Amino acid sequence: MTNVDSRLELAERAATAGSEIASEGFRHDLAVETKSNKTDVVTEFDRRSQRRVIEVIEAEFPDDAIVGEEEDALKEVPAEGDVWVVDPIDGTNNFVRGIPLWTTSVAAVREGETVAAANVCPALGDVYTANEDGAYLNGETISVSDRTDPETFTVCPTIWWEFDRRDEYAATVEGIVKRFGDMRRFGCAQIVLGMVASGALDGTVTNVVPNPWDTVAGVFMVRRAGGTVTDIHGDSWTTESRGLVASNGEAHDDVLAAAREAEK
């Protein structure tokens, strides 16, 4: 097993361990706290899950950096060295409402480039993974959709717009419904990116600056599945980018145009 192979195995094992902790609180009475605003929620299971993920990683790679949503983990991805990017519960708003669209996400990054990722979705019974060879759903190889006609696309707005930016959210939605066959919104960016990778969705858009724990694993999956991921300007997406536009690559300019509606 190569070092990269071992990191994919560890990413999935750590995400599974964290998801097991999170599952203990799913659809049970929860004490829900808020962080930066009324819709930015957190529970003790977010914190406990992240601790468990880190515990599993550090048992094998104690010197690697950890970027994570909760507590005192790093909040930006270092450009050098081996790094793990962790979201203990992506989709916490779904989690606290008993909606099964949430995941525990772990990505391995080396010298600024993602090399392995796992999104474990226990309430759905799905596990998305990716390595340098491809992307997988429950162990089976996946690829982005082959649709070419935007009027057959289903596209999803993702991440979230603060209350003082709801005009941008509205413009993005309008940009989607005017261009494409249908729209969805799921409230979990990592699952949405997995759906783009598997071909269930044809694209997803936002013009906000997303956090690395919401995106790194899923972006890697889309790219390994043959898709395209850019920023709002159409340049290749990085963790420092503003906006995120992911698609099957067949009509990326149309998906990008929908995202840019918010800029007007």
Side-chain angles (χ1 to χ4, degrees):
M1 180 181 290
T2 68
N3 189 269
V4 170
D5 288 336
S6 70
R7 286 176 184 267
L8 176 58
E9 185 276 333
L10 180 57
E12 183 174 352
R13 180 154 49 88
T16 299
S19 74
E20 289 171 352
I21 296 295
S23 293
E24 294 175 8
F26 185 56
R27 290 181 174 166
H28 288 80
D29 290 336
L30 293 169
V32 180
E33 306 165 39
T34 57
K35 295 190 286 187
S36 63
N37 58 60
K38 295 177 182 179
T39 60
D40 185 11
V41 298
V42 65
T43 73
E44 182 58 27
F45 287 93
D46 294 80
R47 292 185 280 261
R48 286 178 53 197
S49 174
Q50 180 163 301
R51 290 177 203 139
R52 180 61 180 140
V53 170
I54 293 172
E55 181 181 68
V56 172
I57 293 170
E58 289 186 339
E60 294 198 26
F61 296 103
D63 297 325
D64 288 3
I66 305 287
V67 174
E69 180 172 12
E70 309 304 337
E71 300 186 314
D72 59 354
L74 296 173
K75 303 306 176 188
E76 296 181 358
V77 180
E80 299 179 352
D82 285 312
V83 183
W84 298 86
V85 183
V86 177
D87 195 335
I89 304 177
D90 185 39
T92 303
N93 269 295
N94 288 340
F95 180 82
V96 302
R97 292 172 179 268
I99 298 169
L101 295 166
W102 57 273
T103 186
T104 300
S105 177
V106 178
V109 176
R110 172 167 289 169
E111 307 302 332
E113 297 293 331
T114 311
V115 297
N119 286 337
V120 176
C121 317
L124 297 176
D126 285 337
V127 177
Y128 293 88
T129 56
N131 59 16
E132 293 175 320
D133 296 325
Y136 314 91
L137 174 56
N138 300 328
E140 299 293 326
T141 301
I142 55 176
S143 63
V144 295
S145 74
D146 59 2
R147 297 180 186 88
T148 59
D149 181 356
E151 292 186 2
T152 69
F153 279 25
T154 296
V155 175
C156 176
T158 194
I159 311 297
W160 193 232
W161 288 259
E162 301 288 353
F163 279 101
D164 62 354
R165 299 182 65 179
R166 290 302 168 87
D167 56 339
E168 297 172 54
Y169 181 18
T172 302
V173 170
E174 184 177 8
I176 291 172
V177 299
K178 282 185 174 180
R179 287 174 173 82
F180 306 113
D182 207 348
M183 188 190 83
R184 300 287 188 277
R185 177 168 163 78
F186 294 103
C188 177
Q190 294 285 12
I191 287 180
V192 164
L193 288 164
M195 288 179 175
V196 175
S198 70
L201 291 172
D202 306 292
T204 184
V205 302
T206 188
N207 71 314
V208 304
V209 178
N211 294 309
W213 47 83
D214 293 326
T215 51
V216 169
V219 165
F220 183 62
M221 291 170 189
V222 173
R223 287 173 168 164
R224 294 286 75 78
T228 299
V229 189
T230 69
D231 63 13
I232 195 70
H233 306 295
D235 298 322
S236 183
W237 186 87
T238 73
T239 56
E240 297 179 352
S241 294
R242 186 169 68 82
L244 187 153
V245 182
S247 79
N248 64 0
E250 296 293 343
H252 191 77
D253 286 346
D254 293 273
V255 183
L256 188 58
R260 286 175 172 166
E261 290 292 333
E263 301 297 282
K264 298 177 181 178

